[in-house]
Amino acid sequence: MSKILVIAKPDLVIRRGPGAKMLREFFAFMKSRVVASNKVKIGEELAKEHYVHLKDKPFFRWIISYITSYDAFVFVVESEVQVEKTREILGNTFVEKANENSLRGKYGLTAGMNGLHVSESQEMADREIRLWEEHGVLHEGVLNFNAEEYITKYADGMDNTQEIHRILRDVKGKESVDSTATMALHDKIKEEANDISRDVLERFYGIFLETLKER
Ligand code: IDP
Ligand code: MG
């Protein structure tokens, strides 16, 4: 048995249907026991420590502003499945490179907005769990967020991932993304985020658009 840290990032939370499906498939594969859980808007200090291995990357500021922008669900998951196997079903960091049968390939948006964080190795998992406990977000044995209830509520929700990927493939490599494409992407995400407030959706969409400019 080993324990890993799992984060449902804001894109997974906001895109209700794809997010719930991604969580359902993840937990089904893991046959896991959730030993700690919480729903949290991640603080900047914790975000920077969690992603410290990326601190010299050009997208570091972006990932910090993104991961702290809205609620995330965080879990310590105990499972017999090896971390390496878990990472395999999760798929590539870059959604466009991820196997289409992997979780990120099926439900992720882009490189930065890829739904789930899963510890990369047992060493990283131990460090991450300690960090999140120290910051008071997770406590072994305390379940503050019920993933099962969430999945039951949202798994039948709208899932436009395939159409979103099609639009993203069309705009790839173009100098600028035209307004027809940005409006279509906006509407597709809005349909998935049916009970998310307008303010939150618009902020999220703004952060998403920044990832398109980077291409
Ligand atoms: P991982 O999540 O697959 O382990 P890491 O390299 O550890 O990937 O990066 C952590 C997170 O940082 C990624 O999941 C993603 O959200 C974000 N990220 C990684 N590379 C990029 C990039 O090139 N652009 C934008 N965000 C990125
Ligand atoms: Mg990583």
Side-chain angles (χ1 to χ4, degrees), residues 185-203:
L185 288 167
H186 182 274
D187 291 350
K188 292 293 161 206
I189 293 174
K190 188 174 171 207
E191 277 179 4
E192 297 173 331
N194 59 338
D195 63 354
I196 295 289
S197 78
R198 196 195 156 104
D199 279 7
V200 170
L201 178 70
E202 295 312 322
R203 190 166 355 114

Side-chain angles (χ1 to χ4, degrees), residues 161-194:
T161 315
Q162 295 308 317
E163 284 158 81
I164 293 170
H165 286 182
R166 210 169 306 128
I167 302 169
L168 289 174
R169 276 197 299 272
D170 284 349
V171 301
K172 199 176 175 187
K174 290 196 178 150
E175 275 288 299
S176 63
V177 184
D178 65 55
S179 60
T180 318
T182 54
M183 266 156 39
L185 288 167
H186 182 274
D187 291 350
K188 292 293 161 206
I189 293 174
K190 188 174 171 207
E191 277 179 4
E192 297 173 331
N194 59 338

Side-chain angles (χ1 to χ4, degrees), residues 9 51 53-54 59 62-63 87 90-94 104 111-114 116-118 120 214:
K9 305 188 210 182
Y51 281 133
H53 62 294
L54 303 173
F59 59 85
W62 179 86
I63 184 72
R87 292 284 303 195
L90 179 67
N92 198 291
T93 307
F94 293 84
R104 283 171 168 174
M113 294 181 166
N114 53 20
L116 273 180
H117 163 85
V118 173
E120 266 171 70
E214 268 174 28

Side-chain angles (χ1 to χ4, degrees), residues 42-56:
I42 302 171
E44 193 169 319
E45 197 190 324
L46 174 56
K48 284 182 173 162
E49 284 183 51
H50 175 82
Y51 281 133
V52 68
H53 62 294
L54 303 173
K55 71 176 189 317
D56 298 325

